[in-house]
C-alpha cells in the first residue's frame, strides 16, 4: 500500500447520514419516525429515508429491510464534484478498495459520489452537490434532532484504524480516552468520528444533536416514557468533547444517542489531550450510572454483518 502523509488535505466537511439494514423493518422505521423524532422524507420498496424536521441534509438515517442486521454505510460530505473525484483518485492510488466508482447518486437529494471500504471493511460513501432540504424554524426547546452529529465505530485495532482515517481522509486527532478510544475531527467540531476498542468490527453508536440542553432533556424524557425505561446509559456529560449524552437502543439493537453542547476546537492552539478511562471522565455529572451494566455489552455485541460487503442500494 502506498503511504500517504497524515497531513494530507482534509476534504471532509461533515457526516451526512447513516444507512442501516434491519430484519424488523416496520418496527425500526416506526421508532425513528414516531419516537426518535425524525420524519419520513422518501420511501421506496423496503427502504425508508428519514430526515430532521429542521431541514438540512436530505436525510439523516436510511433504514433498509435486510435478511440480517448490518450497517450499510456511513456517508461523509465534501465540497464539490471535483473533490469527490480527487479523493477517489487519492484512495485508489493508495490501493484502498473502491466499491462504487464516482457517479450520480439515485437517492434523495441526488448529488455525486462514490463508495469505498475502510481498512476494517466498513463501507463509506463520499458525496457532494447533494440538495439540502429547506430550513424550518423550530422552537429551540422542541425535542427533535437537528442533525447527525457524529458516528462511533468499534475496531480491534484502534491505532491502525485511526491512522487510516488520518492518512486517507485527512481527519485530525482531537483527544484520546486512555488507549481505548480516539476522537477525530474534520473542522472545529470536537469529533465527527470516534473509534473505540472492540472485540469485533462493529457499530458503537450514532449520535444526533439536539437544539438545546432543554431539548436534550425533553427528548430523553420522551424516550423514557415511550420505551418505559431509562436510557441504557445517561443522562450525563462526557469529559472528552464536554457533550451531554443519553443512549438508547433502537428496535434492531443499534445504539443511538441524543447529545448537545459538543465542544469546539481552536485549530490554532489545540493540543491533543488524554483522558483516563474513569467513571469521573466518562460522566462529569455522575448521573448516568455504570456503562458496564448495559451500554458496553450492547455496543460490542457481535460483528457487523456488512463488513467487506457491498450494499444493494
Amino acid at each position: 500500500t502506498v503511504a500517504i502523509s497524515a497531513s494530507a488535505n482534509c476534504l471532509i466537511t461533515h457526516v451526512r447520514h447513516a444507512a442501516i439494514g434491519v430484519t424488523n423493518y416496520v418496527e425500526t422505521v416506526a421508532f425513528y419516525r414516531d419516537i426518535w423524532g425524525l420524519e419520513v422524507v422518501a420511501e421506496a420498496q423496503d427502504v425508508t429515508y428519514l430526515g430532521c424536521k429542521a431541514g438540512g441534509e436530505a436525510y439523516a438515517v436510511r433504514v433498509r429491510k435486510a435478511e440480517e442486521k448490518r450497517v450499510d454505510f456511513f456517508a461523509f460530505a465534501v465540497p464539490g464534484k471535483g473533490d469527490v473525484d480527487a479523493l477517489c483518485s487519492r484512495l485508489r492510488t493508495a490501493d484502498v478498495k473502491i466499491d462504487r466508482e464516482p457517479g450520480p447518486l439515485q437517492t434523495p437529494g441526488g448529488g455525486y459520489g462514490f463508495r469505498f471500504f475502510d481498512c476494517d471493511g466498513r463501507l463509506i460513501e463520499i458525496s457532494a452537490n447533494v440538495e439540502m432540504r429547506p430550513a424550518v424554524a423550530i422552537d429551540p426547546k422542541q425535542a427533535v434532532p437537528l442533525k447527525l452529529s457524529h458516528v462511533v465505530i468499534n475496531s480491534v485495532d484502534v491505532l491502525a484504524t485511526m491512522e487510516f482515517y488520518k492518512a486517507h481522509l485527512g481527519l485530525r486527532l482531537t483527544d484520546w480516552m486512555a488507549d481505548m478510544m480516539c476522537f477525530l475531527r474534520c473542522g472545529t467540531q470536537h469529533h465527527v468520528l470516534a473509534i473505540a476498542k472492540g472485540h469485533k468490527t462493529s457499530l458503537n453508536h450514532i449520535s444526533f444533536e439536539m437544539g438545546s440542553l432543554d431539548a436534550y432533556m425533553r427528548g430523553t424524557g420522551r424516550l423514557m416514557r415511550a420505551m418505559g425505561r431509562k436510557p441504557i446509559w445517561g443522562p450525563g456529560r462526557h469529559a472528552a468533547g464536554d457533550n451531554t449524552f443519553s443512549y438508547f437502543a433502537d428496535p434492531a439493537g443499534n445504539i443511538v444517542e441524543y447529545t448537545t453542547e459538543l465542544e469546539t476546537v481552536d485549530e490554532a492552539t489545540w493540543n491533543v489531550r488524554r483522558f483516563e478511562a474513569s467513571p469521573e471522565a466518562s460522566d462529569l455529572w455522575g448521573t448516568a450510572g455504570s456503562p458496564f451494566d448495559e451500554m458496553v455489552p450492547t455496543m460490542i455485541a457481535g460483528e457487523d454483518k456488512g463488513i467487506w460487503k457491498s450494499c444493494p442500494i
Side-chain angles (χ1 to χ4, degrees):
T1 301
V2 178
I4 295 180
S5 170
S7 63
N9 181 41
C10 182
L11 298 174
I12 304 301
T13 58
H14 62 282
V15 59
R16 288 195 190 278
H17 55 259
I20 56 175
V22 301
T23 57
N24 53 347
Y25 172 69
V26 173
E27 185 181 5
T28 302
V29 170
F31 169 83
Y32 285 103
R33 180 192 63 214
D34 302 331
I35 301 176
W36 195 247
L38 302 178
E39 62 182 6
V40 173
V41 298
E43 292 180 287
Q45 184 175 6
D46 295 335
V47 62
T48 299
Y49 302 85
L50 300 109
C52 297
K53 296 181 179 181
E57 283 293 333
Y59 58 99
V61 174
R62 191 190 82 177
V63 181
R64 179 180 65 87
K65 185 178 181 180
E67 294 183 357
E68 55 186 358
K69 174 179 175 286
R70 59 168 283 181
V71 175
D72 282 346
F73 58 87
F74 300 120
F76 293 94
V78 295
K81 181 178 178 181
D83 301 306
V84 170
D85 291 333
L87 185 49
C88 185
S89 177
R90 178 194 296 177
L91 294 175
R92 185 181 292 108
T93 299
D95 294 332
V96 173
K97 184 178 179 181
I98 305 299
D99 176 65
R100 289 191 184 183
E101 295 293 330
L105 300 178
Q106 306 299 322
T107 44
Y112 181 81
F114 76 101
R115 293 178 187 170
F116 68 93
F117 292 101
D118 75 4
C119 59
D120 293 329
R122 295 177 196 83
L123 194 58
I124 304 295
E125 181 176 278
I126 302 294
S127 61
N129 301 339
V130 176
E131 184 177 355
M132 299 290 102
R133 299 173 65 226
V136 176
I138 64 171
D139 187 325
K141 294 183 179 181
Q142 188 173 349
V144 296
L146 296 184
K147 67 174 185 176
L148 192 62
S149 172
H150 58 271
V151 296
V152 180
I153 56 178
N154 296 322
S155 174
V156 297
D157 190 335
V158 173
L159 186 60
T161 305
M162 178 192 73
E163 291 299 339
F164 177 94
Y165 280 92
K166 287 173 62 181
H168 300 304
L169 297 189
L171 299 185
R172 299 180 292 280
L173 176 63
T174 306
D175 285 327
W176 277 101
M177 175 68 78
D179 59 353
M180 300 168 51
M181 188 173 187
C182 65
F183 301 85
L184 302 173
R185 68 186 189 276
C186 60
T188 58
Q189 179 177 308
H190 182 271
H191 60 282
V192 69
L193 175 70
I195 306 163
K197 179 70 173 178
H199 301 297
K200 302 285 186 179
T201 298
S202 60
L203 172 68
N204 188 287
H205 71 271
I206 305 167
S207 180
F208 297 79
E209 181 177 316
M210 306 297 277
S212 66
L213 188 61
D214 197 64
Y216 153 78
M217 286 302 298
R218 289 177 185 226
T220 298
R222 182 182 68 243
L223 264 290
M224 291 171 63
R225 290 190 296 272
M227 302 183 75
R229 53 161 295 159
K230 295 180 179 179
I232 62 173
W233 194 32
R237 184 183 286 275
H238 293 308
D242 196 36
N243 55 306
T244 61
F245 64 88
S246 291
Y247 296 96
F248 294 87
D250 75 9
N254 299 301
I255 304 300
V256 285
E257 176 191 29
Y258 279 153
T259 192
T260 193
E261 299 183 351
L262 184 62
E263 189 173 10
T264 56
V265 170
D266 182 345
E267 294 277 7
T269 61
W270 189 262
N271 292 310
V272 175
R273 302 171 300 186
R274 189 178 189 88
F275 294 88
E276 295 301 320
S278 65
E280 293 77 16
S282 297
D283 176 22
L284 295 172
W285 288 345
T287 55
S290 171
F292 297 100
D293 292 339
E294 291 187 83
M295 180 66 171
V296 172
T298 306
M299 280 183 166
I300 64 174
E303 184 172 26
D304 182 13
K305 301 299 184 181
I307 296 305
W308 295 113
K309 295 179 182 179
S310 298
C311 178
I313 300 175

